Amino acid sequence: MKDTITIIGAGAVGISSAIHLQQRGWQVTLVDRREPASETSWGNAGVINPASFVPLNNPDLHSSLGRYLRNDTASLRFKKAHLLRNLPWLLAFLQASKTRPARHNSRALHSLTSQALDEHRALMQRTGNAHRLTESGWLKVFRHGGPERAAKSLDSFSGRLMREMGIDIRVLSREELQEKEPALRPIFDSAYQLMVGGVVDNPGLMLREHAMQFVADGGTLVQGEVSDITESESGVSISLNGNPHQSDRVLIAAGPWSADVLAFARYRVTLAVERGYHAHYALAGGPTPVHSVHDIDGEYIVGPMTGGLRLTTGVELAPRDDSSNLSQLEQVEPRLFEAFDIAGRTDEPVWRGARPTLPDGVPVIGALPRSERLWVNFGHQHIGMMTGPVSGKLVAQQLSGETPDTDMTPFRPSRWIHKLRASREGSWFGQRLGG
Ligand SMILES: Cc1cc2nc3c(=O)[nH]c(=O)nc-3n(C[C@H](O)[C@H](O)[C@H](O)COP(=O)(O)OP(=O)(O)OC[C@H]3O[C@@H](n4cnc5c(N)ncnc54)[C@H](O)[C@@H]3O)c2cc1C
């Protein structure tokens, strides 16, 4: 009889893990309270770029901290009270921005991002949706300073690390940039292009197509809410829409809700979210861009999508479920209008998502401490659409007793996840918060 596994969360990470487990002979049930890929995996910038392996908390952050503390930039906004409530996360996040840990964490992430493109191509081949990926690299554009500034920006911690890891980068003059991306207005002085990777034209639909292929291949997809998890010697029972559902193993891939789901199983994790927004825009005319463009001075990312140009915003550190605050979007919108020939914003509502981020920026992938039946794969911060398939492969290899293609030590869940002990009064308390 096949081993059974239930995956909680059908985002980029859960769907990819489901397919890789199915390919290894597991009987997989994929559960989500919404349609697959309806949350964080729906609205991202669609960038798949192996160079995106340096987490935000690296030494380059230090020179911008003063500016960020003003709390008025489009790159970063925060709610002070929220940060104070999440002080252990914040302090560990800042600690990890020092040179040594940042190098270590970047290398760990590079072991994922370097395989990401191949793993995406393999899934797309299987589903038949390879047309969704345009491999045009990634443009980082500068409004002033000339090619010297673009080149100098690569003297940074992340630039040096990218070169060290063999990332192919070309500095472009104003004219070269115009030739490469004629949809951009000639307001940019220079750029650099990351030559590998590209942009997906609709990340949410791509993932839904993968999920449908998983079902066509015999997988089970259930729409339902998980509200409890009980592990025993014979298996794991979850409460699914209030009814018990049993399997040999459970994999938690609930993205920004993973702390809530872990609490059902009496575990605690140091997880925070970095909120972000997107809106779509129609072009007034002229060519459609073929690149994802990061306007460094404008502080936004924009890329061509099936719904028009999708603008995505920077980071907002605020409670996951607080109502939306559109100030960052409103701040960057005029800058987008300067950069492209835009007719206007489409009338779709502005989308909000929450990047799930552990203090070191490195996801947790593997079995939970003191458990053989409960597994996790979450914490993919800004790059989870890209790293979903490779992390899905790695967790499936681990679960199936194969030697994973990558050293999994940096991803061990015990860094940030701890079992809660029952007190005599019957309540639960943590042994330790953070690693
Ligand atoms: C503005 C923005 C831009 C981004 N750009 C990029 C990019 O260009 N490239 C990139 O690679 N990444 C990008 N990201 C990051 C990426 O989107 C995330 O890292 C990734 O989507 C996380 O996927 P996930 O599967 O872990 O989480 P999710 O997609 O959020 O999936 C988790 C699922 O768990 C389900 N769930 C939660 N609790 C329960 C429960 N109790 N019962 C049942 N189901 C439950 C939810 O409904 C949800 O569908 C971006 C993110 C944002 C916000």
Side-chain angles (χ1 to χ4, degrees):
M1 224 172 62
K2 285 182 175 180
D3 285 334
T4 56
I5 186 159
T6 303
I7 300 178
I8 303 172
V13 175
I15 294 169
S16 307
S17 305
I19 294 169
H20 279 285
L21 284 159
Q22 181 182 52
Q23 285 175 330
R24 284 167 175 77
W26 288 77
Q27 195 177 317
V28 185
T29 303
L30 179 59
V31 176
D32 202 297
R33 57 182 165 220
R34 299 188 63 191
E35 254 193 276
S38 290
E39 297 285 359
T40 333
S41 301
W42 178 259
N44 56 70
V47 174
I48 298 177
N49 200 292
S52 302
F53 62 87
V54 184
L56 212 63
N57 46 343
N58 72 72
D60 295 340
L61 176 70
H62 304 161
S63 56
S64 309
L65 265 184
R67 202 167 77 86
Y68 291 157
L69 282 174
R70 293 200 322 249
N71 205 11
D72 61 0
T73 70
S75 297
L76 179 76
R77 291 291 175 90
F78 55 87
K79 277 198 172 167
K80 219 186 279 172
H82 172 70
L83 285 188
L84 290 174
R85 272 197 302 275
N86 287 279
L87 211 51
W89 178 89
L90 181 66
L91 293 177
F93 181 85
L94 291 173
Q95 178 71 17
S97 70
K98 292 181 179 167
T99 304
R100 249 174 83 117
R103 274 186 79 82
H104 170 85
N105 297 332
S106 302
R107 282 178 174 276
L109 290 171
H110 181 260
S111 72
L112 302 183
T113 64
S114 57
Q115 303 177 58
L117 211 46
D118 281 346
E119 294 301 333
H120 271 278
R121 289 193 195 112
L123 283 195
M124 288 172 177
Q125 186 106 32
R126 186 171 179 272
T127 304
N129 57 5
H131 61 277
R132 292 206 176 277
L133 173 66
T134 304
E135 296 202 30
S136 47
W138 198 7
L139 284 176
K140 305 261 181 177
V141 300
F142 298 84
R143 291 181 177 225
H144 21 255
E148 308 74 42
R149 179 165 169 227
K152 193 162 183 292
S153 76
L154 293 166
D155 276 343
S156 58
F157 174 85
S158 38
R160 285 198 304 272
L161 213 48
M162 283 196 283
R163 290 208 196 276
E164 200 177 306
M165 297 312 227
I167 303 291
D168 186 5
I169 311 171
R170 309 256 163 94
V171 171
L172 305 174
S173 66
R174 170 185 274 266
E175 295 73 28
E176 287 165 331
L177 173 63
Q178 204 55 51
E179 200 175 311
K180 200 159 273 286
E181 186 49 273
L184 276 173
R185 286 208 171 117
I187 60 162
F188 296 97
D189 233 6
S190 68
Y192 67 80
Q193 183 177 15
L194 301 164
M195 301 305 289
V196 282
V199 58
V200 172
D201 72 2
N202 193 325
L205 282 190
M206 173 191 76
L207 289 164
R208 281 191 188 163
E209 288 158 3
H210 289 334
M212 290 312 111
Q213 187 62 44
F214 159 77
V215 173
D217 291 341
T220 306
L221 180 65
V222 178
Q223 190 160 351
E225 170 107 23
V226 174
S227 54
D228 197 21
I229 302 177
T230 309
E231 187 181 1
S232 68
E233 275 180 19
S234 59
V236 189
S237 177
I238 62 171
S239 172
L240 180 55
N241 286 333
N243 301 311
H245 171 91
Q246 185 84 14
S247 48
D248 298 320
R249 303 270 193 283
V250 160
L251 173 67
I252 297 167
W257 290 273
S258 296
D260 310 46
V261 175
L262 276 171
F264 300 144
R266 271 71 66 185
Y267 282 87
R268 184 152 81 177
V269 58
T270 316
L271 179 73
V273 300
E274 299 177 64
R275 305 200 320 170
Y277 300 82
H278 89 216
H280 284 130
Y281 299 82
L283 285 163
T288 304
V290 291
H291 299 91
S292 175
V293 175
H294 181 182
D295 181 347
I296 304 273
D297 299 316
E299 301 178 288
Y300 64 86
I301 292 171
V302 63
M305 296 265 163
T306 52
L309 282 193
R310 177 179 291 180
L311 172 143
T312 46
T313 64
V315 168
E316 184 196 9
L317 297 174
R320 183 191 62 207
D321 302 329
D322 268 16
S323 53
S324 294
N325 169 3
L326 300 187
S327 55
Q328 283 161 293
L329 184 80
E330 283 158 5
Q331 196 171 356
V332 296
E333 199 170 62
R335 302 175 188 167
L336 177 77
F337 280 62
E338 288 163 2
F340 292 90
D341 189 9
I342 303 279
R345 202 199 285 181
T346 61
D347 52 11
E348 247 180 84
V350 170
W351 173 88
R352 188 186 78 233
R355 306 162 180 103
T357 305
L358 293 154
D360 54 10
V362 177
V364 280
I365 308 171
L368 283 179
R370 299 163 62 190
S371 172
E372 281 167 21
R373 298 189 177 277
L374 295 177
W375 289 64
V376 289
N377 185 1
F378 66 83
H380 292 262
Q381 37 108 344
H382 291 238
I383 55 171
M385 197 275 298
M386 162 163 68
T387 51
V390 53
S391 68
K393 177 189 74 174
L394 294 169
V395 79
Q397 288 175 330
Q398 287 179 298
L399 269 156
S400 308
E402 298 168 28
T403 306
D405 289 349
T406 301
D407 172 18
M408 298 306 289
T409 317
F411 307 102
R412 65 199 184 285
S414 59
R415 285 158 32 240
W416 302 112
I417 304 180
H418 303 283
K419 181 87 178 149
L420 298 170
R421 282 186 287 125
S423 73
R424 243 180 260 138
E425 291 76 38
S427 64
W428 299 93
F429 59 91
Q431 291 169 296
R432 196 153 67 94
L433 185 71

